[in-house]
Amino acid sequence: MAPVPGPPVVARSPPQDGPRRRRRLSPSGDTTSAVTPIRDFWAVHHGLDTGFDCVGGDLACNTLEFFADDSWSVVAERLDGCPPDRFVHAVGNANYDTYVLDLDMLDGAGNPTVAHWAFKERQIGDHKQYWEWLDGTGTDLIFGS
């Protein structure tokens, strides 16, 4: 399947006070709620793993759930001030980097983009369309650069 051309589109939602509830993209075992690019990848490989780095696997939680014992504000600080339920874990992992789906930055087809989370530096950035990420960074994670 060819990547959708064009820059990411920001999804706008009405301002709200306090934490927002988001729909989970893929509760354990439920592949029907995952976005199309992830379902397409899972149709061939559920995940690829080198023993150190990986691509794919379950999209089982958002960042707030990932840090289950920490408060909203503590987790938001780890995400450079972004809301913890904005990011779904994870389409890939490498060393101290995690590649998460950003529910607020969408590609031209309306799918979440992949964001690079450098959690030791507490920075989120480098948004890419899923297939672009898989073709570059994702491939490097599994086969080396």
Side-chain angles (χ1 to χ4, degrees), residues 23-27 30-35 39:
R23 179 176 68 91
R24 293 174 78 169
L25 289 180
S26 175
D30 177 16
T31 60
T32 60
S33 62
V35 294
R39 285 195 320 264

Side-chain angles (χ1 to χ4, degrees), residues 30-136:
D30 177 16
T31 60
T32 60
S33 62
V35 294
T36 302
I38 304 297
R39 285 195 320 264
D40 292 347
F41 179 79
W42 285 347
V44 179
H45 300 285
H46 185 70
L48 300 170
D49 191 329
T50 67
F52 298 102
D53 303 332
C54 70
V55 170
D58 290 332
L59 300 175
C61 65
N62 63 38
T63 310
L64 187 60
E65 295 165 324
F66 185 75
F67 292 107
D69 296 331
D70 291 333
S71 70
W72 179 275
S73 59
V74 169
V75 178
E77 184 180 318
R78 291 180 176 157
L79 293 169
D80 203 17
C82 295
D85 64 349
R86 175 177 168 175
F87 304 99
V88 175
H89 287 249
V91 296
N93 289 291
N95 212 1
Y96 294 106
D97 299 312
T98 299
Y99 299 91
V100 294
L101 290 176
D102 186 340
L103 300 180
D104 285 354
M105 291 288 292
L106 306 179
D107 65 15
N111 294 311
T113 56
V114 177
H116 173 226
W117 177 35
F119 55 85
K120 283 189 107 178
E121 291 84 13
R122 300 179 178 206
Q123 295 176 340
I124 292 278
D126 195 30
H127 286 79
K128 294 183 178 176
Q129 189 264 355
Y130 179 78
W131 293 114
E132 178 187 350
W133 173 84
L134 185 62
D135 189 42

